[in-house]
Amino acid sequence: MTDRGRGRGFAARPGDADAWIRTTEPAPRDEPVRSAGFTARLTIDVTPELRGRIKVTAFRRGVTVADMLRDLLAREFPDIEGEPR
């Protein structure tokens, strides 16, 4: 067997989550960074029926589910002027 070392695992949490969230340095990536800059995964629990409705709605609008949900979250949680990012 091979030793994988002691690096952070795939789903490991950072030691200081607040500093990790507010960092200005992008994580090294092999893929290009999306136009919005930094991205992070968000996991939510929805019923299979709601998931289906979301997918159908996105398809009808001609967008991806991810893009549609990003737009929804941006509308619901706009930047507040004067707050640090």
Side-chain angles (χ1 to χ4, degrees):
M1 292 199 168
T2 61
D3 182 22
R4 291 187 180 192
R6 295 191 179 263
R8 208 171 81 191
F10 170 74
R13 294 175 187 232
D16 183 3
D18 195 47
W20 175 72
I21 290 168
R22 296 183 185 281
T23 185
T24 58
E25 296 298 319
R29 303 179 131 192
D30 293 334
E31 64 188 56
V33 177
R34 291 193 170 101
S35 63
F38 301 104
T39 62
R41 285 195 186 266
L42 174 66
T43 303
I44 61 170
D45 293 325
V46 295
T47 63
E49 293 81 15
L50 178 56
R51 181 176 180 257
R53 292 195 316 259
I54 292 168
K55 290 174 77 172
V56 168
T57 300
F59 179 79
R60 287 180 178 163
R61 293 179 183 179
V63 297
T64 66
V65 170
D67 287 338
M68 186 178 74
L69 292 176
R70 280 187 205 105
D71 290 344
L72 170 70
L73 293 170
R75 277 193 317 271
E76 292 297 318
F77 303 99
D79 286 339
I80 299 173
E81 198 171 315
E83 278 195 6
R85 287 185 172 213

